[in-house]
mmCIF file of all heavy atoms in Angstrom:
data_model
loop_
_atom_site.group_PDB
_atom_site.id
_atom_site.type_symbol
_atom_site.label_atom_id
_atom_site.label_comp_id
_atom_site.label_asym_id
_atom_site.label_seq_id
_atom_site.Cartn_x
_atom_site.Cartn_y
_atom_site.Cartn_z
ATOM 1 N N PRO A 7 0.841 -1.208 0.000
ATOM 2 C CA PRO A 7 0.000 0.000 0.000
ATOM 3 C C PRO A 7 0.866 1.243 0.000
ATOM 4 O O PRO A 7 2.028 1.195 0.383
ATOM 5 C CB PRO A 7 -0.802 -0.151 1.307
ATOM 6 C CG PRO A 7 0.013 -1.066 2.174
ATOM 7 C CD PRO A 7 0.764 -1.970 1.240
ATOM 8 N N GLY A 8 0.302 2.498 -0.476
ATOM 9 C CA GLY A 8 -1.043 2.759 -0.902
ATOM 10 C C GLY A 8 -1.313 2.590 -2.387
ATOM 11 O O GLY A 8 -0.490 2.061 -3.146
ATOM 12 N N VAL A 9 -2.463 3.133 -2.771
ATOM 13 C CA VAL A 9 -3.020 2.802 -4.075
ATOM 14 C C VAL A 9 -2.214 3.356 -5.243
ATOM 15 O O VAL A 9 -2.298 2.826 -6.350
ATOM 16 C CB VAL A 9 -4.487 3.276 -4.185
ATOM 17 C CG1 VAL A 9 -5.379 2.479 -3.267
ATOM 18 C CG2 VAL A 9 -4.626 4.755 -3.923
ATOM 19 N N LEU A 10 -1.429 4.408 -5.047
ATOM 20 C CA LEU A 10 -0.694 5.015 -6.170
ATOM 21 C C LEU A 10 0.801 4.715 -6.125
ATOM 22 O O LEU A 10 1.587 5.338 -6.840
ATOM 23 C CB LEU A 10 -0.912 6.537 -6.191
ATOM 24 C CG LEU A 10 -2.367 6.997 -6.351
ATOM 25 C CD1 LEU A 10 -2.411 8.510 -6.481
ATOM 26 C CD2 LEU A 10 -3.015 6.341 -7.561
ATOM 27 N N ARG A 11 1.195 3.714 -5.357
ATOM 28 C CA ARG A 11 2.631 3.435 -5.229
ATOM 29 C C ARG A 11 3.174 2.581 -6.370
ATOM 30 O O ARG A 11 4.359 2.602 -6.666
ATOM 31 C CB ARG A 11 2.901 2.704 -3.899
ATOM 32 C CG ARG A 11 3.047 3.612 -2.708
ATOM 33 C CD ARG A 11 3.396 2.814 -1.468
ATOM 34 N NE ARG A 11 4.682 2.119 -1.571
ATOM 35 C CZ ARG A 11 5.155 1.288 -0.638
ATOM 36 N NH1 ARG A 11 4.441 1.055 0.454
ATOM 37 N NH2 ARG A 11 6.312 0.713 -0.801
ATOM 38 N N ASN A 12 2.312 1.775 -6.997
ATOM 39 C CA ASN A 12 2.820 0.767 -7.925
ATOM 40 C C ASN A 12 1.712 0.334 -8.881
ATOM 41 O O ASN A 12 0.599 0.838 -8.828
ATOM 42 C CB ASN A 12 3.329 -0.445 -7.123
ATOM 43 C CG ASN A 12 2.401 -0.785 -5.965
ATOM 44 O OD1 ASN A 12 1.211 -0.982 -6.161
ATOM 45 N ND2 ASN A 12 2.937 -0.805 -4.757
ATOM 46 N N GLY A 13 2.050 -0.607 -9.762
ATOM 47 C CA GLY A 13 1.014 -1.174 -10.623
ATOM 48 C C GLY A 13 1.244 -1.004 -12.102
ATOM 49 O O GLY A 13 0.414 -1.416 -12.903
ATOM 50 N N GLY A 14 2.367 -0.379 -12.527
ATOM 51 C CA GLY A 14 2.587 -0.198 -13.958
ATOM 52 C C GLY A 14 1.475 0.634 -14.575
ATOM 53 O O GLY A 14 1.191 1.747 -14.136
ATOM 54 N N ILE A 15 0.790 0.073 -15.569
ATOM 55 C CA ILE A 15 -0.317 0.776 -16.209
ATOM 56 C C ILE A 15 -1.404 1.120 -15.203
ATOM 57 O O ILE A 15 -2.055 2.164 -15.295
ATOM 58 C CB ILE A 15 -0.892 -0.055 -17.376
ATOM 59 C CG1 ILE A 15 -1.975 0.743 -18.123
ATOM 60 C CG2 ILE A 15 -1.447 -1.380 -16.892
ATOM 61 C CD1 ILE A 15 -2.495 0.027 -19.367
ATOM 62 N N TRP A 16 -1.584 0.246 -14.185
ATOM 63 C CA TRP A 16 -2.648 0.482 -13.206
ATOM 64 C C TRP A 16 -2.364 1.712 -12.348
ATOM 65 O O TRP A 16 -3.293 2.362 -11.862
ATOM 66 C CB TRP A 16 -2.843 -0.750 -12.324
ATOM 67 C CG TRP A 16 -3.543 -1.851 -13.039
ATOM 68 C CD1 TRP A 16 -3.005 -3.018 -13.496
ATOM 69 C CD2 TRP A 16 -4.923 -1.876 -13.423
ATOM 70 N NE1 TRP A 16 -3.955 -3.762 -14.130
ATOM 71 C CE2 TRP A 16 -5.154 -3.098 -14.093
ATOM 72 C CE3 TRP A 16 -5.988 -0.999 -13.245
ATOM 73 C CZ2 TRP A 16 -6.395 -3.441 -14.604
ATOM 74 C CZ3 TRP A 16 -7.234 -1.342 -13.752
ATOM 75 C CH2 TRP A 16 -7.427 -2.552 -14.412
ATOM 76 N N LYS A 17 -1.106 2.035 -12.152
ATOM 77 C CA LYS A 17 -0.782 3.212 -11.325
ATOM 78 C C LYS A 17 -1.357 4.479 -11.943
ATOM 79 O O LYS A 17 -2.019 5.280 -11.270
ATOM 80 C CB LYS A 17 0.738 3.333 -11.182
ATOM 81 C CG LYS A 17 1.170 4.511 -10.319
ATOM 82 C CD LYS A 17 2.677 4.535 -10.147
ATOM 83 C CE LYS A 17 3.110 5.711 -9.286
ATOM 84 N NZ LYS A 17 4.593 5.728 -9.083
ATOM 85 N N SER A 18 -1.145 4.661 -13.256
ATOM 86 C CA SER A 18 -1.664 5.871 -13.903
ATOM 87 C C SER A 18 -3.183 5.807 -14.063
ATOM 88 O O SER A 18 -3.859 6.837 -14.018
ATOM 89 C CB SER A 18 -0.982 6.084 -15.260
ATOM 90 O OG SER A 18 -1.025 4.922 -16.050
ATOM 91 N N ILE A 19 -3.731 4.602 -14.231
ATOM 92 C CA ILE A 19 -5.191 4.468 -14.307
ATOM 93 C C ILE A 19 -5.820 4.876 -12.972
ATOM 94 O O ILE A 19 -6.796 5.639 -12.922
ATOM 95 C CB ILE A 19 -5.586 3.021 -14.681
ATOM 96 C CG1 ILE A 19 -5.231 2.741 -16.136
ATOM 97 C CG2 ILE A 19 -7.084 2.794 -14.444
ATOM 98 C CD1 ILE A 19 -5.402 1.287 -16.535
ATOM 99 N N LYS A 20 -5.267 4.351 -11.891
ATOM 100 C CA LYS A 20 -5.814 4.682 -10.567
ATOM 101 C C LYS A 20 -5.706 6.182 -10.291
ATOM 102 O O LYS A 20 -6.640 6.783 -9.752
ATOM 103 C CB LYS A 20 -5.087 3.872 -9.489
ATOM 104 C CG LYS A 20 -5.420 2.392 -9.509
ATOM 105 C CD LYS A 20 -4.715 1.613 -8.404
ATOM 106 C CE LYS A 20 -3.256 1.406 -8.676
ATOM 107 N NZ LYS A 20 -2.614 0.513 -7.687
ATOM 108 N N ARG A 21 -4.588 6.760 -10.672
ATOM 109 C CA ARG A 21 -4.405 8.203 -10.457
ATOM 110 C C ARG A 21 -5.456 8.995 -11.236
ATOM 111 O O ARG A 21 -6.072 9.933 -10.712
ATOM 112 C CB ARG A 21 -3.004 8.607 -10.889
ATOM 113 C CG ARG A 21 -2.677 10.074 -10.621
ATOM 114 C CD ARG A 21 -1.203 10.359 -10.811
ATOM 115 N NE ARG A 21 -0.752 9.972 -12.143
ATOM 116 C CZ ARG A 21 0.245 9.109 -12.376
ATOM 117 N NH1 ARG A 21 0.887 8.548 -11.360
ATOM 118 N NH2 ARG A 21 0.597 8.806 -13.616
ATOM 119 N N GLY A 22 -5.702 8.609 -12.489
ATOM 120 C CA GLY A 22 -6.687 9.310 -13.311
ATOM 121 C C GLY A 22 -8.102 9.166 -12.781
ATOM 122 O O GLY A 22 -8.897 10.114 -12.819
ATOM 123 N N ILE A 23 -8.430 7.986 -12.268
ATOM 124 C CA ILE A 23 -9.789 7.753 -11.744
ATOM 125 C C ILE A 23 -10.001 8.483 -10.418
ATOM 126 O O ILE A 23 -11.033 9.119 -10.196
ATOM 127 C CB ILE A 23 -10.034 6.237 -11.578
ATOM 128 C CG1 ILE A 23 -10.216 5.591 -12.960
ATOM 129 C CG2 ILE A 23 -11.254 5.970 -10.696
ATOM 130 C CD1 ILE A 23 -10.322 4.085 -12.918
ATOM 131 N N ILE A 24 -9.013 8.409 -9.531
ATOM 132 C CA ILE A 24 -9.168 8.974 -8.188
ATOM 133 C C ILE A 24 -9.087 10.499 -8.181
ATOM 134 O O ILE A 24 -9.850 11.174 -7.491
ATOM 135 C CB ILE A 24 -8.106 8.378 -7.237
ATOM 136 C CG1 ILE A 24 -8.371 6.877 -7.031
ATOM 137 C CG2 ILE A 24 -8.087 9.105 -5.893
ATOM 138 C CD1 ILE A 24 -7.271 6.149 -6.288
ATOM 139 N N ARG A 25 -8.193 11.047 -9.001
ATOM 140 C CA ARG A 25 -7.953 12.490 -8.933
ATOM 141 C C ARG A 25 -8.693 13.283 -10.001
ATOM 142 O O ARG A 25 -8.904 14.486 -9.827
ATOM 143 C CB ARG A 25 -6.455 12.758 -9.042
ATOM 144 C CG ARG A 25 -5.675 12.239 -7.840
ATOM 145 C CD ARG A 25 -4.202 12.560 -7.956
ATOM 146 N NE ARG A 25 -3.457 12.134 -6.776
ATOM 147 C CZ ARG A 25 -2.131 12.174 -6.678
ATOM 148 N NH1 ARG A 25 -1.403 12.623 -7.701
ATOM 149 N NH2 ARG A 25 -1.526 11.764 -5.587
ATOM 150 N N GLU A 26 -9.076 12.628 -11.100
ATOM 151 C CA GLU A 26 -9.696 13.377 -12.188
ATOM 152 C C GLU A 26 -11.113 12.907 -12.511
ATOM 153 O O GLU A 26 -12.055 13.680 -12.414
ATOM 154 C CB GLU A 26 -8.805 13.293 -13.434
ATOM 155 C CG GLU A 26 -7.429 13.929 -13.226
ATOM 156 C CD GLU A 26 -6.537 13.755 -14.430
ATOM 157 O OE1 GLU A 26 -6.758 14.443 -15.446
ATOM 158 O OE2 GLU A 26 -5.622 12.916 -14.364
ATOM 159 N N LEU A 27 -11.280 11.662 -12.902
ATOM 160 C CA LEU A 27 -12.616 11.190 -13.287
ATOM 161 C C LEU A 27 -13.560 11.074 -12.099
ATOM 162 O O LEU A 27 -14.761 11.313 -12.212
ATOM 163 C CB LEU A 27 -12.499 9.832 -13.991
ATOM 164 C CG LEU A 27 -11.838 9.845 -15.377
ATOM 165 C CD1 LEU A 27 -11.727 8.426 -15.920
ATOM 166 C CD2 LEU A 27 -12.624 10.724 -16.346
ATOM 167 N N LYS A 28 -13.026 10.658 -10.965
ATOM 168 C CA LYS A 28 -13.824 10.509 -9.728
ATOM 169 C C LYS A 28 -15.097 9.708 -10.013
ATOM 170 O O LYS A 28 -16.216 10.149 -9.729
ATOM 171 C CB LYS A 28 -14.173 11.878 -9.139
ATOM 172 C CG LYS A 28 -12.946 12.702 -8.789
ATOM 173 C CD LYS A 28 -13.318 14.120 -8.375
ATOM 174 C CE LYS A 28 -12.077 14.981 -8.229
ATOM 175 N NZ LYS A 28 -12.393 16.405 -8.013
ATOM 176 N N LEU A 29 -14.905 8.534 -10.566
ATOM 177 C CA LEU A 29 -16.034 7.694 -10.959
ATOM 178 C C LEU A 29 -16.906 7.350 -9.761
ATOM 179 O O LEU A 29 -16.389 6.979 -8.704
ATOM 180 C CB LEU A 29 -15.523 6.406 -11.607
ATOM 181 C CG LEU A 29 -14.650 6.578 -12.848
ATOM 182 C CD1 LEU A 29 -14.189 5.218 -13.352
ATOM 183 C CD2 LEU A 29 -15.412 7.310 -13.939
ATOM 184 N N PRO A 30 -18.227 7.406 -9.919
ATOM 185 C CA PRO A 30 -19.109 7.106 -8.783
ATOM 186 C C PRO A 30 -19.139 5.635 -8.406
ATOM 187 O O PRO A 30 -19.493 5.289 -7.293
ATOM 188 C CB PRO A 30 -20.483 7.579 -9.277
ATOM 189 C CG PRO A 30 -20.388 7.512 -10.772
ATOM 190 C CD PRO A 30 -18.970 7.859 -11.108
ATOM 191 N N ALA A 31 -18.773 4.745 -9.344
ATOM 192 C CA ALA A 31 -18.877 3.310 -9.081
ATOM 193 C C ALA A 31 -17.673 2.593 -9.676
ATOM 194 O O ALA A 31 -17.233 2.892 -10.787
ATOM 195 C CB ALA A 31 -20.166 2.757 -9.676
ATOM 196 N N ILE A 32 -17.146 1.621 -8.937
ATOM 197 C CA ILE A 32 -15.962 0.861 -9.356
ATOM 198 C C ILE A 32 -16.156 -0.605 -8.981
ATOM 199 O O ILE A 32 -16.686 -0.922 -7.918
ATOM 200 C CB ILE A 32 -14.690 1.397 -8.670
ATOM 201 C CG1 ILE A 32 -14.325 2.791 -9.189
ATOM 202 C CG2 ILE A 32 -13.505 0.463 -8.887
ATOM 203 C CD1 ILE A 32 -13.191 3.434 -8.423
ATOM 204 N N MET A 33 -15.705 -1.497 -9.864
ATOM 205 C CA MET A 33 -15.652 -2.920 -9.544
ATOM 206 C C MET A 33 -14.199 -3.274 -9.228
ATOM 207 O O MET A 33 -13.280 -2.866 -9.949
ATOM 208 C CB MET A 33 -16.121 -3.744 -10.747
ATOM 209 C CG MET A 33 -15.704 -5.223 -10.736
ATOM 210 S SD MET A 33 -16.654 -6.262 -9.600
ATOM 211 C CE MET A 33 -18.214 -6.397 -10.497
ATOM 212 N N THR A 34 -13.975 -4.030 -8.148
ATOM 213 C CA THR A 34 -12.654 -4.594 -7.918
ATOM 214 C C THR A 34 -12.796 -6.098 -7.833
ATOM 215 O O THR A 34 -13.680 -6.615 -7.150
ATOM 216 C CB THR A 34 -11.987 -4.021 -6.651
ATOM 217 O OG1 THR A 34 -10.610 -4.416 -6.623
ATOM 218 C CG2 THR A 34 -12.676 -4.471 -5.381
ATOM 219 N N GLN A 35 -11.967 -6.791 -8.584
ATOM 220 C CA GLN A 35 -11.997 -8.253 -8.548
ATOM 221 C C GLN A 35 -11.364 -8.681 -7.234
ATOM 222 O O GLN A 35 -10.218 -8.334 -6.947
ATOM 223 C CB GLN A 35 -11.267 -8.827 -9.754
ATOM 224 C CG GLN A 35 -11.982 -8.498 -11.066
ATOM 225 C CD GLN A 35 -11.165 -8.816 -12.299
ATOM 226 O OE1 GLN A 35 -9.946 -8.691 -12.296
ATOM 227 N NE2 GLN A 35 -11.836 -9.216 -13.360
ATOM 228 N N VAL A 36 -12.093 -9.438 -6.461
ATOM 229 C CA VAL A 36 -11.727 -9.652 -5.068
ATOM 230 C C VAL A 36 -10.363 -10.341 -4.912
ATOM 231 O O VAL A 36 -9.680 -10.150 -3.900
ATOM 232 C CB VAL A 36 -12.848 -10.459 -4.359
ATOM 233 C CG1 VAL A 36 -12.855 -11.908 -4.803
ATOM 234 C CG2 VAL A 36 -12.744 -10.363 -2.849
#
């Protein structure tokens, strides 16, 4: 942890969703 520390392509995706798109709903595969 945390969510923006790593992930390759996922790091920039998470940053874009959390800081810019602010999507109201998200699915996470458990």
Side-chain angles (χ1 to χ4, degrees):
V9 292
L10 300 185
R11 276 184 63 184
N12 41 54
I15 185 175
W16 285 107
K17 181 177 180 179
S18 51
I19 289 172
K20 289 182 286 187
R21 184 169 56 237
I23 287 174
I24 293 171
R25 293 182 177 173
E26 297 176 74
L27 291 177
K28 300 173 188 172
L29 301 178
I32 291 173
M33 161 76 74
T34 191
Q35 294 169 326
V36 73

